[in-house]
Amino acid sequence: AEDGHELWLRYLPLPSAQAQAYRQQLGGVDAPADTPVQRAARDELVRGLQGLLGATAAGAAAVGQPIVQVGTPASSPRIAALHLPLQDLGEEGYLIRHLQQGGQGGIVVAANSDVGTLHGVFHLLRLVQTTQPLADVDLRQSPKIQRRVLNHWDNLDRSVERGYAGQSLWDWQKLPGWLDPRYTDYARANASIGINGTVLNNVNANALSLTPMYLEKAAALASVMRPYGIRVYLSARFSAPIEIGGLPTADPLDPAVQRWWKDKVDEIYRYIPDFGGLLVKANSEGQPGPQDYGRSHAAGANMLADALAPHDGIVMWRAFVYSHETSPDRAKQAYDEFVPLDGSFRDNVLVQVKNGAIDFQPREPFHPLFGAMPKTPLMMEFQITKEYLGFATHLAYLGPMYEETLRADTYVQGKGSTVARVVDGSLQKSRLTGMAGVANIGSDRNWSGSQFDQANWYAFGRLAWDPMDDAGRIAEEWLRMTFSNDPAFVAPALAMMMRSHEAVVDYMTPLGLAHLMGRSHHYGPAPWDAGSERPDWDPVYYHRAGADGIGFDRSAGGSDAVGQYAAPLARQYGNLATVPEQYLLWFHHVRWDHRMASGRTLWDELVIRYGHGVDEVAAMRGTWDGLAAYVDPERHREVAAFLAIQQDEAQWWRDACVAYFQSLSQRPLPAGQAPPA
Ligand code: GCW
């Protein structure tokens, strides 16, 4: 059935004229298959070309037929003989070239390592899948970021925190004895977009995941990932020495605790020789951490880093610190705690920072930590799963949101100091670089909970490979592979995707609003929620609406969170006259009658944005209805049904928020914005 289970690796037959033309260049495959990675690359190429071009395309070529030659100088004497310029490609890069061979064309995919050739093979298949010409192909690619990892918030009971795609993919009960074929498909999909690591378990970690029983299971998963160049990592619970080690403390300066972690890490490497490292959430939302013992984040991270260093393992230490105590402005906490620690982390520590300072809101300004810790490599953490973006039923393509953060200018070293350059290490010369995406993957047949949520997984991988890649280009590539190359499909579907995230922002949290979602589930609107045991659990803490106006004053006269940005931005964001309207209510408390760029009052503009978000969803539905001819009925129906849900719920968001804010503003709705009768 066409239920999306093949993701973007469908390899359906191309129209026969196109297939015929490609067969002139891809008549056969010459690829070594002596190692597991080589076999993965060769098998994928054969499988892809057979699917796309028909049975005769792959396998041994007839004499004189043009072929695809795959390999490294070490794995293939024929590749070695070509003396290709591979030096700058690194371990994971590759080149793809068209070569004349005895009067006929052929394609070379070459790299320094087997994993590089695997990436190259997926790229070549992508070119064919999206029907790109190969006649002059001559391209070189290597990743801009070293650690490109998914973070699974998967629990050992197969529930997934903030997961909307069924149960966890990891069937712990059947591991290690049964290796579900879906693990291989998962590895293929990730390798195809350049992801090279996966953290198997939730950052709210259960210490049991570090016991031998679970390490054996993790090792089995690692054996499936390995041929695809993907390393396994684990989340570590900081108090594990107490819970599974029987020690009285987890104090990172206690020699017995240090010994315990060294032994534990050595043990992990006996199970998983290429283990990537540990991810840690400490002293945040009630999780244990070094501060329980009066020690700093650096002391905690460094203890683990010392245990991992002999094995070349790394620590990914999260900066999402959301303390027990309510602070006057939660947005400031991570910066305040981490900036003083700059320069005190070991070389094998990455500090993992969410894209924004609060928590994966539909829109946030970039996190002020980016650029503010020049001596510490910072890893980006994006959320792929849509915790605050309507779960799987609301269509929101997140490429533009990721792009907005990556291209934001921190100004820490003058103009052009983009977040992307902080993360890829080029700005501050970091030796270690990384990007993490909180996965949206589960046991659902369509993997991600909806057809279009697959695109967010895809876009994350492509942007982790190259953070300056283009979200629109990526979306088009994904659409063509996932649905159809027909321009009559691609153009409208692409336009729909590219506007979808902004539509959600508009009907949930326009103009810099945040966290209006109902407490704990984070799904529907609840701007009126108040009175929790902690004020910063309530929407009213974030929007601060009253009779006078709305918004959180983070300017110098308010919480001064704006002071955490470099001076030019602090000035721009801190001034009501210059702050971009998309961040207006993030940084300022603004009078209802404030004049917006449109000439309208803030109140009118707010209501119009809410309405516009709803209108956009209606338009998306119309677009999708018009595309039925290009999409199989199963997937078309699913998307259409979800869009109908989304439209209802966009209206719910709009009505709830407008009614609530109107009870405070006491202003009439602007013309044309009355609720439907
Ligand atoms: O987004 C919030 C979520 C929590 C999550 C936490 C975090 C894993 O609501 O479910 O816990 O952030 O990132 O640690």
Side-chain angles (χ1 to χ4, degrees):
E2 293 282 8
D3 52 19
H5 71 278
E6 290 166 313
L7 294 162
W8 47 88
L9 301 175
R10 286 156 57 79
Y11 304 142
L12 290 186
L14 292 175
S16 60
Q18 267 168 342
Q20 178 64 36
Y22 278 120
R23 279 196 292 265
Q24 305 304 312
Q25 292 152 318
L26 310 169
V29 169
D30 172 20
D34 298 326
T35 68
V37 181
Q38 289 171 12
R39 279 193 289 281
R42 197 260 333 249
D43 291 353
E44 191 73 30
L45 187 55
V46 170
R47 170 189 191 146
L49 293 182
Q50 259 165 7
L52 289 156
L53 308 184
T56 58
V63 181
Q65 222 186 341
I67 55 166
V68 195
Q69 260 174 232
V70 181
T72 68
S75 71
S76 157
R78 270 193 289 273
I79 295 285
L82 292 171
H83 300 292
L84 295 161
L86 303 174
Q87 302 77 13
D88 302 336
L89 293 173
E91 268 300 284
E92 294 183 292
Y94 55 84
L95 64 73
I96 303 179
R97 255 194 204 179
H98 184 261
L99 279 192
Q100 280 308 119
Q101 295 158 321
Q104 274 177 305
I107 301 290
V108 177
V109 180
N112 292 311
S113 74
D114 292 343
V115 167
T117 65
L118 176 71
H119 291 149
V121 158
F122 276 114
H123 193 141
L124 176 61
L125 287 169
R126 195 153 66 225
L127 294 175
V128 181
Q129 284 174 283
T130 57
T131 66
Q132 305 304 303
L134 292 180
D136 303 312
V137 73
D138 184 5
L139 60 87
R140 308 165 61 79
Q141 282 267 308
S142 52
K144 302 272 190 312
I145 291 179
Q146 297 157 8
R147 309 283 175 144
R148 307 175 300 277
V149 303
L150 291 179
N151 287 185
H152 286 268
W153 286 356
D154 294 20
N155 298 315
L156 301 183
D157 64 2
R158 293 192 81 179
S159 61
V160 180
E161 182 156 352
R162 311 302 177 184
Y164 315 105
Q167 287 191 296
S168 169
L169 206 55
W170 321 131
D171 191 346
W172 297 107
Q173 188 259 326
K174 298 195 187 77
L175 284 164
W178 166 241
L179 295 173
D180 191 312
R182 298 191 77 180
Y183 304 151
T184 308
D185 288 335
Y186 166 91
R188 289 174 53 232
N190 280 319
S192 78
I193 51 177
I195 287 171
N196 67 0
T198 177
V199 185
L200 299 177
N201 61 320
N202 192 351
V203 290
N204 290 329
N206 186 328
L208 288 177
S209 57
L210 299 177
T211 58
M213 181 163 99
Y214 279 96
L215 291 177
E216 202 186 341
K217 297 169 191 286
L221 289 172
S223 73
V224 179
M225 309 297 163
R226 194 168 292 119
Y228 292 90
I230 298 165
R231 290 184 188 210
V232 158
Y233 300 70
L234 290 171
S235 292
R237 184 165 166 86
F238 199 78
S239 54
I242 302 175
E243 285 143 4
I244 60 169
L247 297 185
T249 175
D251 181 349
L253 298 194
D254 184 309
V257 172
Q258 294 170 352
R259 177 84 257 156
W260 186 86
W261 279 110
K262 271 200 172 306
D263 292 346
K264 178 52 69 183
V265 167
D266 291 347
E267 182 188 10
I268 296 174
Y269 279 90
R270 285 197 294 278
Y271 282 98
I272 309 172
D274 56 350
F275 181 66
L278 297 170
L279 169 64
V280 185
K281 171 178 178 177
N283 293 118
S284 177
E285 300 188 313
Q287 294 297 316
Q291 293 176 348
D292 302 347
Y293 308 95
R295 318 297 186 195
S296 71
H297 286 290
N302 290 346
M303 170 195 59
L304 296 174
D306 289 342
L308 285 153
H311 304 280
D312 287 328
I314 64 164
V315 175
M316 297 168 289
W317 191 270
R318 293 177 90 227
F320 176 73
V321 286
Y322 187 9
S323 68
H324 287 310
E325 304 77 36
T326 297
S327 63
D329 185 358
R330 179 186 161 191
K332 294 177 71 176
Q333 195 187 336
Y335 182 102
D336 287 345
E337 281 189 32
F338 278 85
V339 168
L341 299 175
D342 189 26
S344 53
F345 291 94
R346 297 282 192 269
D347 284 350
N348 58 334
V349 177
L350 277 160
V351 172
Q352 182 171 312
V353 183
K354 288 187 183 180
N355 59 294
I358 296 287
D359 190 15
F360 298 139
Q361 293 305 296
R363 165 164 286 126
E364 292 190 43
F366 74 85
H367 201 303
L369 271 176
F370 290 109
M373 295 183 69
K375 291 180 239 147
T376 309
L378 300 188
M379 181 168 184
M380 173 64 73
E381 178 178 321
F382 282 128
Q383 198 178 43
I384 308 172
T385 189
K386 303 209 308 302
E387 172 181 359
Y388 294 93
L389 283 147
F391 299 2
T393 33
H394 293 210
L395 195 162
Y397 171 52
L398 301 183
M401 185 182 83
Y402 301 151
E403 186 180 84
E404 184 176 303
T405 301
L406 291 165
R407 296 189 178 193
D409 200 336
T410 69
Y411 288 94
V412 290
Q413 290 183 27
K415 212 171 157 21
S417 308
T418 57
V419 172
R421 296 191 58 213
V422 174
V423 175
D424 74 16
S426 60
L427 188 71
Q428 296 164 332
K429 308 280 168 278
S430 330
R431 288 201 309 117
L432 197 56
T433 57
M435 196 186 293
V438 179
N440 65 351
I441 299 161
S443 58
D444 277 7
R445 292 282 294 167
N446 65 26
W447 294 87
S448 299
S450 84
Q451 304 300 333
F452 275 85
D453 279 340
Q454 297 178 357
N456 295 329
W457 175 9
Y458 187 87
F460 166 77
R462 304 294 277 133
L463 287 167
W465 181 272
D466 178 2
M468 289 306 283
D469 205 342
D470 180 85
R473 194 203 65 73
I474 293 169
E476 175 173 348
E477 186 177 271
W478 175 81
L479 277 168
R480 295 170 73 121
M481 290 191 282
T482 305
F483 288 107
S484 165
N485 280 301
D486 192 324
F489 169 80
V490 174
L494 178 60
M496 175 180 91
M497 282 176 81
M498 293 305 286
R499 289 163 66 166
S500 59
H501 166 255
E502 200 66 36
V504 179
V505 171
D506 276 348
Y507 65 71
M508 287 189 184
T509 51
L511 299 174
L513 287 171
H515 232 303
L516 306 185
M517 300 77 188
R519 172 158 164 204
S520 59
H521 57 72
H522 298 160
Y523 188 67
W528 47 80
D529 264 4
S532 294
E533 51 273 44
R534 282 184 53 159
D536 58 357
W537 282 346
D538 289 326
V540 297
Y541 169 96
Y542 296 95
H543 65 65
R544 310 205 162 189
D548 63 323
I550 181 171
F552 197 131
D553 185 0
R554 294 190 166 102
S555 71
S559 79
D560 198 27
V562 80
Q564 296 182 334
Y565 291 94
L569 277 185
R571 271 195 304 277
Q572 191 200 357
Y573 292 170
N575 182 343
L576 195 54
T578 52
V579 63
E581 285 189 350
Q582 61 183 8
Y583 303 137
L584 178 66
L585 305 178
W586 184 275
F587 288 114
H588 296 276
H589 187 80
V590 184
R591 294 166 48 95
W592 292 115
D593 60 5
H594 171 79
R595 281 289 148 198
M596 303 292 287
S598 61
R600 299 186 192 104
T601 63
L602 168 63
W603 166 250
D604 285 359
E605 184 76 28
L606 186 71
V607 177
I608 283 168
R609 291 289 175 111
Y610 271 108
H612 182 251
V614 181
D615 294 345
E616 287 280 279
V617 181
M620 284 160 60
R621 274 186 87 181
T623 300
W624 188 251
D625 285 347
L627 296 176
Y630 306 97
V631 181
D632 45 275
E634 291 90 339
R635 290 189 299 167
H636 191 270
R637 206 167 34 241
E638 184 186 307
V639 174
F642 285 11
L643 284 170
I645 295 171
Q646 185 178 7
Q647 192 182 1
D648 280 351
E649 296 184 345
Q651 189 70 51
W652 170 36
W653 265 96
R654 180 262 174 216
D655 292 348
C657 292
V658 169
Y660 169 72
F661 290 133
Q662 191 178 29
S663 76
L664 300 168
S665 78
Q666 297 289 332
R667 284 166 180 262
L669 297 181
Q673 294 293 321

